[in-house]
Amino acid sequence: MTYLAKPRFHHPKLPTNALGYTRRDYEGAVSTLCAGCGHDSISAAIIQACFELDLPPHRIAKLSGIGCSSKTPTYFLGASHGFNSVHGRMPSVLTGANLANRELVYLGVSGDGDSASIGLGQFAHSIRRGVNMLYIVENNGVYGLTKGQFSATADRGSTSKRGVANHDQPIDLVTMAIMLGASFVARSFSGDKAQLVPLIKAAIRHQGAAFIDCISPCVAFNNHPGSTKSFDFVRAHNEAVNRLDVMVEREPIVADYAPGEVVDVMQHDGTVLRLRKLDAQYHPTDKRAAVAYLQERDAAGEVVTGLLYVDPEATDLHANLDTVATPLNALDDAALVPGQAALDKVNASLR
Amino acid sequence: MDGRGPEGGEGIPPTDIRDPSYFHKVVDCQWACPAHTPVPEYIRLIAAGRYSDAYMVNWKSNVFPGILGRTCDRPCEPACRRGRVEAEPVAICRLKRVAADYKDDIRHLLPEIPAAKNGKRVALVGAGPAALTVARDLMPLGYHCVLFDRDSRAGGMIRSQIPRFRLPEEVIDEEVGYITGMGVELRLGKSVDSLAGLLAEGFDAVFVGTGAPRGKELDLPGRREAAANIHIGIDWLSSVSFGHVDRIGKRVIVLGGGNTAMDCCRSARRLGGEDVKVIVRSGFEEMKASPWEKEDAMHEGIPILNFLVPKEFTHEGGRLTGVTFEKVAAKYDEKGRRSLVPTGEPDQHVPCDDVLVAVGQENAFPWIEAETGVEFDRWGLPRLDPATFQATNPKVFFGGDSAFGPKNIIWAVAHGHEAAISIDRFCRGEDVSQRPPPDFGLSSQKMGIHEWSYDNDISVDLRFRVPWAESEKTLRNIAVEVELGFDPKTAFAEAQRCLNCDVQTVFTTQLCIECDACADICPVDCITFTANGTEADLRGRLNAPAPNPTQALYVSEFLKTGRVMVKDEDVCLHCGLCAERCPTGAWDMQKFLLEMSHAGHACRSH
Ligand SMILES: Cc1cc2nc3c(=O)[nH]c(=O)nc-3n(C[C@H](O)[C@H](O)[C@H](O)COP(=O)(O)OP(=O)(O)OC[C@H]3O[C@@H](n4cnc5c(N)ncnc54)[C@H](O)[C@@H]3O)c2cc1C
Ligand SMILES: Cc1ncc(C[n+]2csc(CCOP(=O)(O)OP(=O)(O)O)c2C)c(N)n1
Ligand code: SF4
Ligand code: SF4
Ligand code: SF4
Ligand SMILES: [Mg+2]
């Protein structure tokens, strides 16, 4: 960490977005994480994505659980709403907030311990309910905050900093998310912003449960030769299936692609996801093929990254429940407290 | 990998940070200073309240901190990085004055002068800053220096030209005194009329520091008839300085747009001039005077009229009555060259009682005979080796305004240092063209994980103004200094604006794990990890554009992913956050201290 606040001065040519903000306006307090932590790079990527999407900071809610990863919302989007819940309980708080006010952009920020250990049930249910959110797990394979115990995503056979091997089967959150019905699933790496930023942008624009598993080396406890979540290991085994460009309506489409097949996926809100295929066999809209591919490459020891699955026809919890479109805080008393007659009517319908 | 790899052998080779000029250039102020004063070093000493030490850092480099702290042309300030980060540069010059104002007695810190001389005698002609610097550098080495000047007191134009309201006499006496007090033999009050004669006296070397002592004439109709009230600016100013003139007419016109004109008009304002105007041929913007000198003049109620070309001095019964001007406008041709063309409007007559002509200075060497072998070019300037200042007679060296025409004090000092090196080498029979390299060192400033031995918290204060004495007081007495200087509290706050550009970001490729932490934290987006490329290509695709070609790109060797680290030095705040965030110590903040070599044993090459 640093004790100094980041100086206010910025580059004189720093661009502004449609709202007149610079990227610096999307920053938060200075990070207290260990120097070099992958989580800080993810924060920087979130800042960049929100800036590029011209999101008004006060229309974003960031929610988290407990862990170094869950601390990061303090370090970005300082002007947004925030909720730091208890360990593993971010998904239910986020679900509640989303039900009450569907007009905010929801960022669920979690760790592999927070989501794959104590919060596994919460993770599963928020995904299968299709809560409209970006759920991002900053996956370092350890409980960073409590000094580096293996988490449930640590690979079997990988070792701790002290050389002790992990014997348990890892949980693959990506495969789980696809199986549980997430309509946008990606994996990325904190050390590759060129890949991560467009994925975050696309996931934010996605109207449904979007999940990103972002491998994020823990420099203090899990960046050693026996780790499979280290900078070196991930760089050596990273197999990106595609490269993504996100085109929001107003942006002109500038095509400067290296040769290779290009697929456009139009999302519900009109965003175009332009995918340059790096692996010709990979079809991110085919769920079964995606899962099969992931398992095959996983067996080969590769870390598959990129946009792994997207359902362009996704729906969300509100659509499923047919809830009122207006946020609860904007409904008047009459609508919120319809009175005895309305209650009698509901009761009667249930008799 | 992120899909980008090295582009074969293409791209910028890794930056050679062992070349002292690389980091020297990053210290913009020091690089721009002709004497290469270690500016941030003395600014930190001021912030620490160590005024005497700050003074001595200056004194070593620029010899006249108290004088320069009030009068320097300050080429460092337009170069200062702070001016690219926010509105205005650090008030470097006025901080120099702070060191001079608040120092203790520093006489015990001055170099010792050996009692046993080395047997070499050097003549210094002209007692201006150039010659005084030569004396300063040679006296501690045991030379016998003889200083000649036609004025009766040493100082050159510092004493004869710069008005007292900008530079009090005590300051001149003190700083000139440090040098003359080293035991320089003074032969003042008498012109040197013959170089041949001087050489015949058996001096081992002669340094010519006679400046550019002749004011340019303005030969217009009426000049001779009205001569009594038309004065050459620099002659008039020296008469004022030496107390021979203490009055001028009520209505005064100053012709010319340089700094001399500004000193003339402000002096006239103090000697009875009530209606003083500066009138220039060119446009206001193109005037040679520094912007702050123009501001100061206008602040004292002196209007500056432009695009008026003087045509004639009008007179009546032998008395000047005014000046007639032709109105002109600026026209530019396709190549952007400007010419002044008459607008065709009727001429303008401006009545006045006195005119001060400040249209330039010239060199004059009537006392240097052809037989001495000292040759001049067609502009009347001596033919010199530009690095050694040696003339075509190897015993003769030039420096200051006499070398390449009128400049300023700090250039005179810089020339003096170089000439002293040459004279020392010459007198010892060494090759004069061999120049001693500057002395430099890099030292880590790391004290703890987030602790540095410099203050890396960036102040967001805007430039502080130097307070002025009330104009009712200053306009009444020419000897009352206008600027009051910073008080210690303001000086501290101004010193804190300095970005410590000498505390360098030093990168070790082998240690970097490419975690991006430094690129993420950098408040000004200096750092990019990317595929190497040509300079033009790289400048366009860094995290922030790097359009300033005068500022270097710092390029690492190839990293593990095949990329390179590229740092644009342009607007780096030297905040050290990159080094604080780096988990492996691949970035370190190291103080680069470069000191110019001066004449002396330590820097001799054998
Ligand atoms: C009005 C005015 C204001 C200025 N203000 C500033 C300012 O604010 N800041 C700044 O940096 N610069 C200023 N300058 C410029 C600065 O004064 C000169 O650039 C600087 O003094 C040059 O130094 P020098 O050592 O070359 O010679 P000078 O200072 O010019 O000294 C030369 C000396 O040689 C003597 N001399 C000449 N010929 C002979 C001879 N034959 N025999 C004996 N002695 C001789 C002269 O009397 C003089 O004392 C100003 C100049 C003028 C005219
Ligand atoms: C209910 C509860 N149980 C246990 C803990 C102790 N605890 C704090 S953080 C943490 C693990 C965090 O791991 P992860 O989510 O991966 O975050 P990281 O620090 O690795 O980013 C645990 C077990 C707690 N705070 N609360
Ligand atoms: S900020 Fe300080 S060190 Fe940097 S150029 Fe300006 S005065 Fe010099
Ligand atoms: S010192 Fe480092 S972090 Fe600070 S501005 Fe310079 S490059 Fe950026
Ligand atoms: S913080 Fe250090 S290790 Fe990380 S990218 Fe920068 S220089 Fe490399
Ligand atoms: Mg973790």
Side-chain angles (χ1 to χ4, degrees):
Chain A
M1 65 167 283
T2 27
Y3 295 125
L4 297 180
K6 193 162 163 173
R8 260 201 350 238
F9 291 136
H10 59 66
H11 193 280
K13 298 247 157 53
L14 197 62
T16 52
N17 64 12
L19 301 177
Y21 294 128
T22 69
R23 196 191 66 232
R24 298 287 307 273
D25 295 320
Y26 290 81
E27 290 179 347
V30 75
S31 170
T32 60
L33 302 184
C34 304
C37 179
H39 298 351
D40 282 335
S41 287
I42 300 174
S43 297
I46 293 173
I47 288 167
Q48 183 69 29
C50 292
F51 162 76
E52 288 180 14
L53 287 175
D54 306 320
L55 294 181
H58 67 289
R59 305 306 291 162
I60 305 173
K62 35 179 196 167
L63 298 97
S64 63
I66 297 294
C68 297
S69 36
S70 293
K71 283 173 71 179
T72 62
T74 307
Y75 316 137
F76 57 80
L77 299 173
S80 300
H81 305 279
F83 195 106
N84 193 210
S85 79
V86 282
H87 203 12
R89 269 57 188 161
M90 173 276 285
S92 45
V93 181
L94 190 151
T95 305
N98 182 302
L99 280 170
N101 183 353
R102 58 157 83 178
E103 286 185 349
L104 301 182
V105 169
Y106 288 93
L107 299 180
V109 179
S110 182
D112 42 324
D114 198 56
S115 284
S117 297
I118 192 168
L120 190 64
Q122 298 241 334
F123 160 75
H125 291 291
S126 65
I127 295 285
R128 59 176 274 281
R129 283 184 178 132
V131 180
N132 182 14
M133 62 182 170
L134 162 57
Y135 191 132
I136 184 163
V137 167
E138 307 190 345
N139 185 353
N140 54 15
V142 288
Y143 298 166
L145 191 68
T146 55
K147 304 267 177 283
Q149 302 84 351
F150 286 123
S151 80
T153 65
D155 284 310
R156 188 179 233 166
S158 66
T159 67
S160 71
K161 199 176 175 181
R162 296 223 166 133
V164 181
N166 173 40
H167 304 296
D168 300 337
Q169 184 64 31
I171 289 176
D172 178 18
L173 291 170
V174 156
T175 316
M176 269 188 85
I178 298 175
M179 304 302 286
L180 288 166
S183 42
F184 180 110
V185 178
R187 189 187 282 128
S188 190
F189 172 43
S190 68
D192 185 359
K193 282 204 200 67
Q195 181 190 54
L196 180 56
V197 173
L199 286 174
I200 294 175
K201 286 167 71 177
I204 288 176
R205 296 293 296 226
H206 182 77
Q207 302 293 306
F211 176 74
I212 299 178
D213 174 23
C214 189
I215 299 170
S216 174
C218 169
V219 282
F221 300 111
N222 207 13
N223 191 38
H224 50 82
S227 164
T228 57
K229 302 272 191 288
S230 66
F231 282 108
D232 285 351
F233 185 92
V234 178
R235 287 206 165 103
H237 297 83
N238 189 345
E239 275 305 315
V241 289
N242 46 38
R243 282 270 156 197
L244 174 63
D245 270 289
V246 182
M247 275 143 330
V248 183
E249 304 86 326
R250 62 186 182 82
E251 288 170 12
I253 295 178
V254 275
D256 80 19
Y257 295 106
E261 199 191 333
V262 169
V263 189
D264 284 351
V265 179
M266 167 98 86
Q267 298 208 106
H268 252 170
D269 69 339
T271 331
V272 175
L273 307 183
R274 173 158 290 186
L275 286 165
R276 179 162 53 90
K277 287 196 170 191
L278 300 178
D279 182 328
Q281 282 141 50
Y282 200 79
H283 304 289
T285 48
D286 181 339
K287 190 187 268 195
R288 263 179 304 173
V291 172
Y293 182 90
L294 286 172
Q295 282 174 355
E296 176 199 313
R297 301 323 302 161
D298 185 54
E302 285 172 5
V303 182
V304 178
T305 60
L307 176 52
L308 303 178
Y309 175 68
V310 60
D311 174 4
E313 299 303 318
T315 54
D316 85 327
L317 177 62
H318 284 280
N320 300 344
L321 296 181
D322 193 21
T323 55
V324 58
T326 314
L328 301 191
N329 64 9
L331 291 175
D332 59 14
D333 285 356
L336 286 170
V337 191
Q340 190 61 41
L343 180 63
D344 291 345
K345 215 169 133 193
V346 172
N347 283 342
S349 75
L350 297 171
R351 284 208 176 92
Chain B
M1 299 276 295
D2 73 344
R4 290 172 294 187
E7 292 172 1
E10 279 287 301
I12 309 185
T15 302
D16 181 10
I17 58 168
R18 285 162 314 174
D19 173 358
S21 67
Y22 181 75
F23 282 140
H24 187 180
K25 273 188 202 159
V26 174
V27 196
D28 290 303
C29 48
Q30 186 175 10
W31 182 256
C33 172
H36 302 308
T37 306
V39 174
E41 180 75 358
Y42 81 71
I43 291 184
R44 276 190 300 273
L45 290 168
I46 289 172
R50 291 169 56 185
Y51 304 117
S52 297
D53 293 334
Y55 184 86
M56 291 313 291
V57 167
N58 270 293
W59 189 81
K60 248 186 105 178
S61 304
N62 56 53
V63 193
F64 303 104
I67 292 168
L68 288 165
R70 293 167 166 87
T71 61
C72 190
D73 250 3
R74 28 178 153 150
C76 53
E77 290 193 17
C80 170
R81 172 164 285 108
R82 182 92 188 186
R84 299 196 295 277
V85 171
E86 49 118 321
E88 282 187 276
V90 175
I92 302 171
C93 181
R94 292 330 188 230
L95 285 173
K96 199 188 303 294
R97 170 175 173 179
V98 165
D101 282 356
Y102 299 115
K103 69 181 184 306
D104 304 316
D105 188 346
I106 52 90
R107 277 172 298 183
H108 65 288
L109 299 173
L110 297 176
E112 256 176 65
I113 307 302
K117 297 293 161 190
N118 69 1
K120 305 282 182 189
R121 289 170 71 245
V122 179
L124 309 171
V125 188
L132 287 167
T133 301
V134 176
R136 203 290 303 259
D137 287 356
L138 294 183
M139 287 305 292
L141 304 180
Y143 284 85
H144 181 101
C145 295
V146 185
L147 188 64
F148 297 85
D149 203 299
R150 62 181 178 206
D151 290 340
S152 57
R153 300 173 70 191
M157 287 196 169
I158 291 176
R159 197 184 287 279
S160 65
Q161 296 293 320
I162 301 180
R164 298 290 176 263
F165 59 85
R166 287 207 288 127
L167 178 61
E169 184 126 48
E170 313 84 76
V171 181
I172 308 173
D173 290 344
E174 176 192 331
E175 291 189 333
V176 170
Y178 290 148
I179 297 163
T180 53
M182 290 175 168
V184 177
E185 183 186 333
L186 301 178
R187 296 199 201 161
L188 303 178
K190 198 176 157 298
S191 266
V192 173
D193 298 322
S194 161
L195 176 61
L198 210 55
L199 289 166
E201 275 191 50
F203 284 104
D204 294 284
V206 175
F207 176 77
V208 180
T210 49
R214 190 182 286 164
K216 278 194 188 150
E217 253 307 342
L218 196 57
D219 223 352
L220 297 178
R223 171 69 179 92
R224 229 150 302 145
E225 295 82 338
N229 295 91
I230 299 171
H231 321 278
I232 296 296
I234 65 167
D235 297 341
W236 183 78
L237 283 170
S238 66
S239 302
V240 172
S241 286
F242 291 122
H244 308 317
V245 165
D246 58 6
R247 234 171 312 128
I248 196 161
K250 281 202 166 72
R251 299 169 305 165
V252 181
I253 294 176
V254 177
L255 297 174
N259 288 339
T260 303
M262 299 302 113
D263 282 340
C264 283
C265 68
R266 295 179 71 196
S267 295
R269 196 69 183 80
R270 287 159 167 79
L271 296 181
E274 286 165 15
D275 169 14
V276 181
K277 295 185 184 78
V278 173
I279 303 184
V280 296
R281 300 158 50 95
S282 66
F284 180 82
E285 305 301 332
E286 302 146 73
M287 287 169 62
K288 281 210 187 110
S290 324
W292 55 85
E293 303 246 31
K294 292 197 270 184
E295 273 166 38
D296 293 353
M298 292 185 300
H299 179 87
E300 292 181 348
I302 299 165
I304 299 176
L305 314 180
N306 63 0
F307 291 126
L308 292 170
V309 176
K311 260 176 97 173
E312 185 183 356
F313 298 107
T314 57
H315 50 92
E316 224 180 270
R319 259 199 90 76
L320 179 75
T321 54
V323 185
T324 308
F325 295 91
E326 180 176 49
K327 295 192 177 182
V328 293
K331 277 260 162 59
Y332 295 87
D333 67 8
E334 333 67 69
K335 284 192 183 132
R337 277 176 311 207
R338 190 212 62 173
S339 53
L340 295 172
V341 288
T343 61
E345 290 167 85
D347 288 346
Q348 186 175 342
H349 182 256
V350 182
C352 69
D353 304 315
D354 282 287
V355 168
L356 296 171
V357 179
V359 295
Q361 274 166 263
E362 287 168 331
N363 292 82
F365 302 99
W367 56 284
I368 298 185
E369 304 91 339
E371 64 185 86
T372 58
V374 174
E375 294 168 17
F376 292 88
D377 65 17
R378 59 196 163 102
W379 296 281
L381 289 171
R383 281 187 44 218
L384 302 176
D385 179 316
T388 66
F389 298 86
Q390 193 171 35
T392 43
N393 176 332
K395 265 193 182 178
V396 180
F397 300 82
F398 283 71
D401 288 358
S402 74
F404 308 116
K407 285 191 172 161
N408 53 38
I409 302 169
I410 191 64
W411 271 112
V413 169
H415 290 176
H417 284 312
E418 290 301 326
I421 291 173
S422 302
I423 292 170
D424 182 38
R425 296 185 71 88
F426 177 75
C427 287
R428 290 169 189 275
E430 292 169 351
D431 181 358
V432 174
S433 67
Q434 287 272 310
R435 311 304 290 177
D439 196 25
F440 79 103
L442 269 176
S443 55
S444 177
Q445 300 295 289
K446 203 172 175 74
M447 306 263 287
I449 298 182
H450 328 287
E451 251 183 292
W452 305 96
S453 47
Y454 74 109
D455 185 349
N456 62 330
D457 202 355
I458 304 295
S459 155
V460 293
D461 284 339
L462 297 177
R463 184 176 169 119
F464 292 88
R465 304 273 144 237
V466 179
W468 280 25
E470 286 162 40
S471 52
E472 294 87 74
K473 256 195 245 159
T474 57
L475 290 181
R476 228 179 291 139
N477 180 350
I478 194 159
V480 174
E481 190 174 13
V482 170
E483 285 195 15
L484 299 174
F486 286 129
D487 60 41
K489 226 176 114 213
T490 317
F492 173 78
E494 182 63 30
Q496 289 297 89
R497 293 182 67 239
C498 172
L499 299 171
N500 302 291
C501 301
D502 59 340
V503 181
Q504 307 284 349
T505 55
V506 179
F507 185 78
T508 308
T509 307
Q510 293 70 30
L511 292 177
C512 175
I513 57 170
E514 299 176 70
C515 69
D516 267 5
C518 53
D520 289 340
I521 194 73
C522 178
V524 281
D525 300 292
C526 292
I527 303 169
T528 306
F529 291 87
T530 185
N532 203 345
T534 60
E535 177 159 347
D537 160 40
L538 274 175
R539 282 187 179 276
R541 61 175 167 84
L542 300 180
N543 284 345
N548 182 354
T550 66
Q551 290 287 319
L553 297 182
Y554 181 177
V555 180
S556 75
E557 290 133 56
F558 284 112
L559 291 154
K560 260 194 195 160
T561 59
R563 300 179 299 175
V564 286
M565 183 290 302
V566 184
K567 183 196 167 208
D568 177 14
E569 300 281 8
D570 191 13
V571 291
C572 169
L573 303 175
H574 297 260
C575 62
L577 291 186
C578 48
E580 286 197 19
R581 297 301 301 175
C582 179
T584 64
W587 284 113
D588 190 23
M589 302 306 292
Q590 300 187 3
K591 185 169 90 175
F592 170 80
L593 187 59
L594 178 135
E595 290 189 71
M596 294 305 289
S597 288
H598 295 155
H601 305 276
C603 60
R604 190 153 304 118
S605 55
H606 26 52

